[in-house]
Each structure stands twice: as structure tokens, then as C-alpha cells.
Amino acid sequence: MPQGPLDPNYYDIIVVGSGAAGLTAALSAKVSSPDLRVLIVEKAPREWRGGNGYFTAGAYRTAHDGLPSLLPLVSNVPPELKDKIDLAPYTTEDFQHDLQRVTGGRIDKELGAVLVNDSLDTVRWLKEHGNVDWWLSFRRQAYEVQGRWKFWGGLALTVKDGGKGLIKNLSEAVTKRGIVTSFDTKVERLLLNGEGSIAGVEVSKQGNADSKFQLYAPSVILCAGGFEANRELRKSFMGPGWELAHVRGTPYNTGDMLLAALDLDARKAGDYSHTGCHSVCWDADSPPDGGDRDKTNEFTKSGYPLGLMLNVRGQRFVDEGVDLRK
């Protein structure tokens, strides 16, 4: 057991996972209380830092009052361009409606309200403390019509260099705050104290299962619950056939922390057999078991709304025109 705060294996907060969620959680803790000892534990090697966030387009959905509320946040709008942009407000009602629509009304109302109502403040916080370089998403969410840029779809913000830029910005902010990330460090199990509360984690260095040791903290934040890279868990949770899907992002999201939490009777939420998952049309020639760190999300096939998508049985696969990058 730990000897107290002077023990080198004792921290105030341990964050598991170095993706956008983990980096932001660690940064938030340090911003709130600079004296906290915060450690990020990451199973992947340093060159695979960033989890699945690295492989995204870095687009952010936020409620806003139109162009005047977003201009102070972005760095890619020169003065001569700002009067040539048409960007309508995306209200909290718009955001809430879209959440209800895409989830078929099954969204958690309380969590949804937090997401919507805090969205713009979160974007501002990420710029101030996370050094996130926001851009208006001209390439993905706007068309130039008669010399004016017209935005649509409610998804106006992105990050310079997409997911790569997001992880770079957040990683630099975390390092600047003195937060250490331990790479190649796998959490084997969650530790409990005598009262049954989380007391830390048992870890091992990758490639050496005999190197187990304990790290202690009164607060452990799990930001590594993804199981996208685990064929068997995909099949178990989502049904037959999902074990054949290609992995867009990191091969290190194998569900270890999800299973560890479930072993401690964590409450489940959602029903994958009915709600499905967030997936995209992906190039058949892409690596099947892990993403490409250079191409990231460029394997995405986004042209399907313009045609019909059929499966091998000749059946319609989706309603291709139901939305257009909304």
C-alpha cells in the first residue's frame, strides 16, 4: 500500500489513456489545482499517442450565435475574408434537436443538456488552456457561392491539421503543465482499498508481463474504454460480422479498461443490438487491424449520399440521402 503523498508511486490523480479525453481530463485537473500530481498512463508507445482522436478530422459541434461568436476563436480568417462569410447561428435548440434525431430519441437527457449547454464554453476553454488552434471548416462545411462562403450543417469548427493537430496541441499543453505520461504502460487491473473504493492501478511495462507494479491515487479517471480494435468484443457486443470490420484508428483500443470496470460491477449503459455504433464507409484496401498514422481519416468514403449503397444481397444498406454531413 502507498506510504502517502511522498511515495514516488503515489499521485493525486491517475488518468488512463492519452487520447483527447485523457489529455483534457488531466489538463482540467491541473488547471483547477496546479499543485496536484497528475499522471497519464498509456498502453501504447509514444509514437501511437493520442488514441482514436489522432485519426479524426478534428471537427467540433458547438452551439453558437453565428459568425461573431466564432471569429474570436479561429486563426484562419483574415480580415478581408470575414465579411464574405455566411454562417447562421446554431442554437442550443438546434443542437439538442440533432442529438435527439441521430439517436432516435434515446439520448440521456441530463448528459445531453451538459454537452449542449457547455459546448461553446468548452471550445473557449480548450483554446485558452489546451492551446487548440481552431479553424473555420471551409473545406468540409462550406461552399463558395458567388464570392461568398456559405456554411451549412451546424459543424463549423475544426482544428488545424485535424486530429493530428488536436493531439499535438493538447499534448504540448499537458507537457507544459508538468504532467507526465507513462507510455508502454498497460493497466492490468484496478486496485481497491479496504472499503471497496478505487485506490490505484496495477500496471506492467509492455512486453514484460513480469514487471507488474502498483501506482496509487485516490482518483482514477478511465479514458480508455474503447474496444474497436478487439475483434471478439466487437462480435460479442455488436453481433456477428463486426469482427470483420476494419479498424480506423489505434490498434491499442482493445477494451481492457471497459472489461476491468465491468469486472467491478460498473453499470452498463446503452444497447448495441439496437443503437448501433459510430462507423463510416472505409476503404477496402485499408489496414484491417489498425489505422495509418499518415493518412488517418483519408480512407473515409464520403460519396455515398450521391448514389445507392447495396450489400452483397442487393439490399439497400442505408438511407443514403437522409443527411448530408449534418
Side-chain angles (χ1 to χ4, degrees), residues 59 67 70 76-77 81 84-88 135-158 324-326:
L67 186 62
L70 296 184
N76 68 329
V77 180
L81 182 59
K84 300 177 181 179
I85 297 173
D86 296 324
L87 200 164
W135 279 16
L136 285 187
S137 188
F138 289 99
R139 186 172 66 90
R140 292 172 59 92
Q141 294 295 144
Y143 290 109
E144 188 176 12
V145 180
Q146 296 180 344
R148 299 192 63 81
W149 286 95
K150 297 183 179 295
F151 279 79
W152 49 274
L155 193 62
L157 285 181
T158 188
L324 195 62
R325 212 179 258 158
K326 183 72 171 175

Side-chain angles (χ1 to χ4, degrees), residues 37 73 191 297 304:
R37 295 188 67 212
L73 298 171
L191 302 178
N297 68 327
Y304 59 89

Side-chain angles (χ1 to χ4, degrees), residues 138-194:
F138 289 99
R139 186 172 66 90
R140 292 172 59 92
Q141 294 295 144
Y143 290 109
E144 188 176 12
V145 180
Q146 296 180 344
R148 299 192 63 81
W149 286 95
K150 297 183 179 295
F151 279 79
W152 49 274
L155 193 62
L157 285 181
T158 188
V159 182
K160 180 184 178 182
D161 297 327
K164 294 180 182 180
L166 175 65
I167 297 304
K168 179 178 183 291
N169 293 159
L170 291 174
S171 296
E172 290 174 348
V174 161
T175 301
K176 185 177 180 180
R177 293 271 179 177
I179 300 170
V180 174
T181 301
S182 179
F183 293 100
D184 289 304
T185 305
K186 180 183 178 181
V187 175
E188 299 287 348
R189 65 186 179 98
L190 301 173
L191 302 178
L192 303 179
N193 61 22

Side-chain angles (χ1 to χ4, degrees), residues 64 118 124 126 130 143 168 172 177 258-259 292 320:
H64 59 81
D118 292 352
R124 290 168 175 156
L126 286 168
Y143 290 109
K168 179 178 183 291
E172 290 174 348
R177 293 271 179 177
L258 176 63
L259 296 179
D292 186 300
E320 305 87 356

Side-chain angles (χ1 to χ4, degrees), residues 11-276:
Y11 296 86
D12 296 299
I13 296 176
I14 294 174
V15 178
V16 183
S18 74
L23 292 169
T24 304
L27 185 61
S28 178
K30 198 70 170 175
V31 168
S32 300
S33 300
D35 292 333
L36 289 178
R37 295 188 67 212
V38 181
L39 175 70
I40 300 175
V41 177
E42 171 57 59
K43 178 173 67 171
R46 181 181 295 273
E47 58 268 25
W48 276 89
R49 74 188 307 168
N52 274 350
Y54 184 91
F55 294 87
T56 70
Y60 267 67
R61 184 176 296 272
T62 180
H64 59 81
D65 295 327
L67 186 62
S69 64
L70 296 184
L71 274 181
L73 298 171
V74 299
S75 66
N76 68 329
V77 180
E80 65 272 16
L81 182 59
K82 65 180 182 179
D83 292 329
K84 300 177 181 179
I85 297 173
D86 296 324
L87 200 164
Y90 185 70
T91 66
T92 54
E93 291 77 16
D94 294 331
F95 198 161
Q96 187 67 44
H97 176 267
D98 282 339
L99 282 178
Q100 292 285 347
R101 181 174 57 82
V102 300
T103 62
R106 289 188 288 266
I107 188 173
D108 183 291
K109 292 183 179 179
E110 291 185 5
L111 289 178
V114 173
L115 172 65
V116 171
N117 295 328
D118 292 352
S119 58
L120 187 56
D121 285 340
T122 298
V123 167
R124 290 168 175 156
W125 188 94
L126 286 168
K127 181 177 180 65
E128 179 181 359
H129 298 291
N131 195 35
V132 173
D133 190 1
W134 297 112
W135 279 16
L136 285 187
S137 188
F138 289 99
R139 186 172 66 90
R140 292 172 59 92
Q141 294 295 144
Y143 290 109
E144 188 176 12
V145 180
Q146 296 180 344
R148 299 192 63 81
W149 286 95
K150 297 183 179 295
F151 279 79
W152 49 274
L155 193 62
L157 285 181
T158 188
V159 182
K160 180 184 178 182
D161 297 327
K164 294 180 182 180
L166 175 65
I167 297 304
K168 179 178 183 291
N169 293 159
L170 291 174
S171 296
E172 290 174 348
V174 161
T175 301
K176 185 177 180 180
R177 293 271 179 177
I179 300 170
V180 174
T181 301
S182 179
F183 293 100
D184 289 304
T185 305
K186 180 183 178 181
V187 175
E188 299 287 348
R189 65 186 179 98
L190 301 173
L191 302 178
L192 303 179
N193 61 22
E195 300 175 351
S197 299
I198 299 295
V201 294
E202 182 174 80
V203 302
S204 66
K205 300 303 288 185
Q206 285 286 65
N208 186 357
D210 297 327
S211 64
K212 294 180 182 179
F213 58 99
Q214 286 75 44
L215 298 170
Y216 299 97
S219 296
V220 176
I221 304 174
L222 300 183
C223 298
F227 60 91
E228 302 89 344
N230 187 318
R231 289 175 180 264
E232 290 305 313
L233 286 185
R234 292 202 307 268
K235 181 179 180 180
S236 174
F237 288 140
M238 298 162 62
W242 279 104
E243 73 275 14
L244 304 176
H246 285 206
V247 177
R248 179 182 78 163
T250 175
Y252 292 91
N253 273 16
T254 52
D256 303 350
M257 290 298 92
L258 176 63
L259 296 179
L262 292 177
D263 284 344
L264 296 179
D265 294 325
R267 184 170 64 89
K268 296 180 182 179
D271 182 352
Y272 294 111
S273 64
H274 291 87
T275 58

